């Protein structure tokens, strides 16, 4: 996997594409169950599978690590009434120049290369080419975990709670940069 040093950590600079064991709660799959989509977009992971997919020495980013990354590259941030954070400008700095609608402003200025992989609900692909969702290691209540959401026509990145039964993308992080 390509990696990048950003916000004082080493991050994977592409979505994980490692197949996890498939049981009813801990599974991974390709967008539309097409292996070619795994090659291009990485895999979707249930929240429990996301906890296990990062290689030894790496881990699923916590809420604090995601907020640090997004906040470091935001021109402004705001806590919204529903408890979701909005990080203005982070989206266009972190999005890849590929896979997004051509009208979408994106720079990939930092090499983080967020692609529009969409998400999945009950193995039904949603919003390919329009969004990217990433799990965090931090959960809240029993059915929700925090996730970062990049949207097609937004320069902001939203960070808030998402139901654990969705299939989202994963990036891994490794300690502090040396």
């Amino acid at each position: 996997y390509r990696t990048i040093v950003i916000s004082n950590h080493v991050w994977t600079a592409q979505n994980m594409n490692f197949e996890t064991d498939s049981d009813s709660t801990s599974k991974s799959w390709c967008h539309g169950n097409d292996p070619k989509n795994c090659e291009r977009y990485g895999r979707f992971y249930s929240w429990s599978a996301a906890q296990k997919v990062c290689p030894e020495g790496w881990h699923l980013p916590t809420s604090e690590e995601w907020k640090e990354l997004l906040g470091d590259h935001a021109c402004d941030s705001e806590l919204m009434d529903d408890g979701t954070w909005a990080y203005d400008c982070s989206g266009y700095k972190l999005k890849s120049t590929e896979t997004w609608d051509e009208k979408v402003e994106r720079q990939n200025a930092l090499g983080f290369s967020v692609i529009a992989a969409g998400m999945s609900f009950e193995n039904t692909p949603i919003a390919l080419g329009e969004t990217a969702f990433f799990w965090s290691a931090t959960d809240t209540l029993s059915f929700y975990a925090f996730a970062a959401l990049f949207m097609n026509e937004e320069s902001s990145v939203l960070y808030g709670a998402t139901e654990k039964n969705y299939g989202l993308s994963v990036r891994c992080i490794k300690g502090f940069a040396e």
Side-chain angles (χ1 to χ4, degrees):
Y1 291 91
R2 288 183 303 108
T3 61
I4 184 172
V5 175
I6 187 170
S7 294
N8 204 34
H9 295 281
V10 181
W11 286 77
T12 55
Q14 63 191 98
N15 296 351
M16 296 302 294
N17 184 18
F18 179 78
E19 187 172 359
T20 59
D21 294 333
S22 289
D23 63 39
S24 62
T25 60
S26 184
K27 59 185 177 177
S28 68
W29 60 97
C30 301
H31 191 77
N33 293 319
D34 183 346
K36 289 180 182 174
N37 284 333
C38 275
E39 291 173 24
R40 182 164 188 189
Y41 300 105
R43 299 181 76 81
F44 291 132
Y45 296 89
S46 65
W47 188 76
S48 60
Q51 305 301 308
K52 305 172 191 174
V53 71
C54 293
E56 187 175 330
W58 294 76
H59 64 274
L60 189 63
T62 64
S63 275
E64 292 309 311
E65 290 165 330
W66 270 112
K67 288 179 184 179
E68 178 183 23
L69 172 68
L70 299 173
D72 282 356
H73 304 290
C75 55
D76 192 22
S77 61
E78 172 187 6
L79 179 60
M80 297 164 42
D81 290 341
D82 66 357
T84 300
W85 280 92
Y87 294 92
D88 294 338
C89 304
S90 290
Y92 76 85
K93 290 180 184 177
L94 298 171
K95 285 179 187 173
S96 170
T97 56
E98 301 173 16
T99 73
W100 298 95
D101 186 306
E102 290 182 19
K103 296 179 237 168
V104 175
E105 184 178 356
R106 67 254 192 257
Q107 297 175 338
N108 200 27
L110 306 167
F112 196 67
S113 305
V114 172
I115 57 175
M119 63 179 293
S120 180
F121 180 70
E122 296 178 354
N123 289 339
T124 301
I126 301 169
L128 179 67
E130 298 174 14
T131 63
F133 286 81
F134 294 96
W135 283 123
S136 82
T138 308
D139 64 346
T140 179
L141 306 173
S142 58
F143 298 107
Y144 294 90
F146 289 97
L149 164 61
F150 293 76
M151 295 177 291
N152 200 22
E153 296 183 16
E154 296 288 329
S155 67
S156 295
V157 178
L158 300 179
Y159 189 82
T162 301
E163 291 182 38
K164 289 180 181 178
N165 58 351
Y166 284 99
L168 307 184
S169 298
V170 168
R171 294 289 180 101
C172 299
I173 188 170
K174 181 179 174 179
F176 288 98
E178 297 176 8

